[in-house]
Structures are given as C-alpha cells and as structure tokens.
Amino acid sequence: MDGSLIGNLAGAGYFLLFQVFGCVLSFNILKKEPGTARLLLGSVFGSLLAGWMPALFSMVMGFNKASHIAALLVTASVIAVFCFASRNRLKNQKNISSNVKSKAGNAGRVKKDIKQVIHEYGYLLIVLPVFIFFTLMMLSHTIPYDQYGNIHAGQATNGDMNMHLAFISSIAEQGKFPPEYSLLPGTKLSYPFLCETNSSSIYLWGSSLRFAYMFPMFFAVLQVMYGVLVLAKEMLRSRVKAVIAWFFFFFNGGFGIWYFVDGIRADKFVFSRIFTEFYHTPTNFSDENLRWSNIIVDMLLPQRATLFGWAVLLPALYILYRAISLKDRKHFIVAAVMAGGLPLIHTHSFLAMAFVCAMWLVCSASSFKYNINKKGINRVSTWLFAGFLLLMCSLDIARLETETEENVYFVIALAGIACIGIICLYMAFKGLKNSETRGTVINWAILLGIVLVLALPQLFNWTFQQAQGEQFTRGYFNWANQDDLYVFFYIKNIGIVLILAVMALFFSKIINYFIILPVFAIWFVAELIVFQPNVYDNNKLLYIAYLFMCMGAASYLADAVKMARSRAAGAVLSCTVLFLGSISAILTMYREYISDYQLYSKDSIAMCRYIEENTEPEDIILTDTRYNNEVAALTGRNIVCGSGTFLYFHGLQYYGQEAAVSEMFQNPWNTELFSQYNVKYIYVSNSERNNYNIISDDIFLENAELVHQEGDVCLYRCK
C-alpha cells in the first residue's frame, strides 16, 4: 500500500520502457506523419503495449513479475527485429550522402528548424495549463494523507475511485488472471479491466498504491488532450479552429449558470452553494435538470475506463482520418489494431469507434466529403437535421402524452442502425465499381477484418457475458431528461456550442460530412438505447458526438469572426461566445478543486497495513458493504460482498451475498455461513457497528479471536 521509492522507480521504469517501444514503432511506421503526431501515437502505442502484452502473458503465467518480464523481453525482441529490418530496407532504398557541412551551416539549419517547430506546433502549448490543473487535482484528490494520517478525496473521486483501487490492488496482490471481483469473490471481472492493469503492473514492482494509480493517468490525459487538438486540426485544417474546438470540448458547460444568477434574488446564498454542496454545480445539478457534466473533472478525473478509452480512441480517429485522406493501407491497419484493442479498455469507446467508422465509410466511398453549395439547395445536412429534430420532438411529445414501452424505442433504434448498415453496404458495393474509390473500400474491408479478429474474443468472453442482464441494452428515450422539453433541455445543457453547431449547418458554405454524419448517427442511437444499467454512462457516447459538434461550432465561430466589420467587433464576439461557453465549466472546475472529503480514517488505514502484512492475498474478510471500503481498496483482499453501488451497475447478482453479510454480523455464531463463504477474518469498525446494530464486540469472541486492534477498528480471526 505504501510502497517505496525504489518501487516507484521500478514501476515507472517498467511503464516508460513500453512508452519508448511505442515511440520507436511510431517513428518507424508512420513516417508520413508530423513529429508531434508521431510522438502522440507512439505514447498511445506504448500504453497499449503496457496493457496488452503483460495481460497476454498473464493469461498463461498468472499476473506476476515473471509474466511481466517475459512480456517486456518479447516486446523488446520483436521491436528490435522490426527496426533492424526497417533499417536494412531503408539502406537499400536510399543512398546516404557524406557531404560535410560547416558548423555555421549546421547552426543556421538548427535555428531554422527551431523556428519552424515553434511556428507549427507552438499552439499545442494550450494544453499545458489545463494539464497542470489536472495534475493538481490528481495530487489533491487521489488518496492524499492529511496532517492527522487520514486519507481524503475530492467530490468526483469520492465514489468510483474506491472501486478502481480495489481492482488495481487485488489484481496485483492476488495474481489471478483473468481477474475476479474482490468485491464478489468467485465472479469473473467483467468490467473492462485493462484500464486498471497498467496501474497493477506498476504496483506489482513495489510502488505505492497512490503512485501506481496516478502515474499512467498523467500520460493518458495528455494523450486525450493532444488527441483532440491533433484530430481537430487535421479535420478543420486550421490551428485557430482546432484550438477553439479544443476549448469548447474540455470547458463544456451550458447555460446552467443562469439558474444560480437568477436565484440570487430569492436566495442570496444560492451562488455560494456551488462551492459547498455535493454536486450543486452549473453542469451537474439534478434539481434543475442540469446533466452535462464537465469532461475534465467529472469524466477524465474519476472515470479511468473513459480516460484510457479516449486516450486510444481519439488518436485512432486521427490516424483513420489520415488513412482516408492519404488512401494509405498502412494507416488503416494501424487504426484497426488500435480499435481492436479497445473492448477490454473501454467498451463505449469501441462502440463510438464503430459508429464513426460507419459514417466515414459512407463519406469516403461517396462523393460528398465536402459539399460546396452557396445557395444551400439540396444540402444533405439540413435534411438530416430537419428529420432528426422532427423525430426526436415527436417522440418527446409521445413520451409526455402517453406511456410508451421501452421496446418501441429499441425497435426504432434497431431500424435506424439497420438503415445505416444498408447504406454502408450500398456505398461499399458502389465504391467497388468506381476505380477512384475501389482501393479505399478494400482498405475498409481489411480494417473490418482486423478489428473483428482482435475484438470478437474480447466481446464474447467478457462484454457479451456481462451484458446479458435485462438492465443492459434496452430502449430508453431521452434518458437524461427529467421534465424539460427536448430542445430546451439540450439548449440549456450544451449551450452556445449547440447553437453555433446548428447555425453552421444552415449558414456554412462548406460542409465537412466527416464531421456532421457521426454526430447524427451517435446521437440517434444513444438517445434511444442505453447500453448499461446506469443510464448516465450513455454520456460517454454522446461526448464523442459532442466533440464533432465542437468542431462544427468552432469552424463557424472562426469564420464569423473573420467576417466581422472590425477586429474589435470580432474580438468582442469571440470573447462573448467563449465566456458563455465556459463560465459554467470554470465554476464547476473550481468547485472540484476545493472539494475535500475524508475517505478513510487513520485507524482503518493502520489496520489495512496490518492486514496487508499478516494475511494471505486470497483470504476473504467480512466487512460491511459500504462503497468506501478500505479493506478492498487498500489491501487487495477479497471481501464477502462489496457495495451495490458498484455491483448492480455491473449487472451482477449480489443479493445473496449482501444478505449473508448482514446475517453473519448479526448472528456470528452461525458458522455455516462463515464456512460457505470461506470467511477467514472479521473486520469491525464503527461503520459495521452502526450498520448492523452491533451493541458489543463480545458477540464475535465465541467463534473468533481478536488478533489486532487500531483505535475503534478490530480484526477477528475465525476459529
């Protein structure tokens, strides 16, 4: 749990070696890409290798140092052979000149190169302030100790982080692979666990749990931030537009601030409560139907699967867009491998990738990559928007007037997906007949084949098994909205970005359908189907559609500023729009920055140290089912049953174990249950005493012995 400096260095070194391997691959394979893009993709390749290679070897050898060393050696050997072959091929293709240049000439060339780099990539520095903010949030929100020895967390990390810590520590401590739930022993871990194993690998080498949790996240958040910027620049062909789109995406927040400004007249403290109450912010306040959570503090900071999934998805979209533009098969193959590795990292990212691919196939196999039409006649985008809005508003009226069964929405969504599939097939066959697009369609077929080969084993062995419950994949229209009209709900939640994106559809002279079509496809499906018990998680699909929406809005805003009568007018317009688009997010981010909640007490932490040092990793410990369970999170040990907050939303049947926990605490002389669940230790703190009305700890002494005590926390060993 505490680790050591040597352990931190060893774990970081192991992870960084894979980063180096990834960069070597990127710089050798993607020679057509600019240096910054190759560095980004190299880092992503390294993260994929660090997750997948140890996992593959652990399937056979168990999750231990031996499997990790084998993974490292095999990866290094394969890359070395690949680089040697590439070098020989390069020598055969090029004649190396040996002209000697003067020192002055070299200095001048270096100076010129530096200026070119600053001019070309200086705009990327916009990422640094937000990355620094994220780093400060990580340091203050990820199990930091206070002056008394208690562990704290922030508002966003107070919940899910407990689950992630339990997965990370149990995988490293117990060594079972594929892993099982330490929160429900004997149950295969169906959660996309490769977003956790990168930290488990670091923890395995003796690092602290805090360091192991945070270190790979720093790389992932940079990959996401640079991924958005590089993708937006490539699609918008403008650094300025890319920066605006990046700003819109990460500082997402609608018009929720209005409720607090307007509420001051009735309650002068309404504004101050943004910074004091739990989820009472302009982007996440259910009482006012504000549900468009900020991406930085509500998605990337607490939700590791989303963070690591987007870290692969966004660069994969970039390389796929480049593949289409360059008509390069190598790029298609790289994108396919990246997409194929997604299901066990983040299933929603894999699903989003599928919808984007379907729409980009339609675009690349047809003739409307760009539609230039000054009169706006026969523009596909306007008809799409009109039809989409009519359908959604009609469904919303029906929802308010009548009780519509979930199956109706599910059938409508399936019909739409079928139409998308038919259009894709039609465009593919049509593209094969055209000599200009035949090669592109063949490349798409190769991509599909690679993705299926890589993804299907993951989907059948984990994803589909988890999704068999009735609470998964069901029809549910407008699931985020409580009681607002459809259009009003999204205007107040998404705000100025939505307004600008709609204006772009009608008034932009150039329409990039690679941007437009994914928005409609993803939004249509995600508005009618929820793919998990927690409907809130559908946001993880909508945010990818929102990214494309940000690109359209940014392009329109930049063009509008150019057309302003004066620079002053353009500056006022841009500042006003950026302020309206970000003020809700900025207040939310500051609220998260100052949030502070105690997660574990110093006595419970001391007891966890004792458990870690004096029990076996596979031992099962009886605790209550609270979400902030320090035994599961900090020691990696199994508990009889974890919190339903986590288990229910994973589609697990845990009710029997939950009832057994209550019975064992209230009737500890019932030894049959202890034997049935193989309980070795009983953990008793004030939480257990209060939750199960335990008047005296003496009731445990008949069939167990007290082996350790830290303050009010006791550990009993079953006889």
Side-chain angles (χ1 to χ4, degrees), residues 184 471 641 644 647-648 651-661 677:
L184 200 68
Q471 64 266 51
C641 184
L647 300 177
Y648 173 81
L652 301 175
Q653 299 296 323
Y654 62 95
Y655 308 108
Q657 289 90 327
E658 186 179 55
V661 167
Y677 290 100

Side-chain angles (χ1 to χ4, degrees), residues 278-322:
F278 195 74
Y279 282 116
H280 197 92
T281 68
T283 64
N284 197 334
F285 184 28
S286 58
D287 288 354
E288 297 294 347
N289 213 11
L290 299 174
R291 308 293 295 277
W292 199 241
S293 303
N294 179 254
I295 285 172
I296 294 176
V297 300
D298 289 327
M299 301 300 294
L300 300 183
L301 181 64
Q303 304 197 37
R304 285 175 63 94
T306 302
L307 172 62
F308 286 100
W310 287 3
V312 177
L313 171 64
L314 298 171
L317 291 176
Y318 164 79
I319 204 67
L320 180 57
Y321 191 78
R322 289 283 291 165

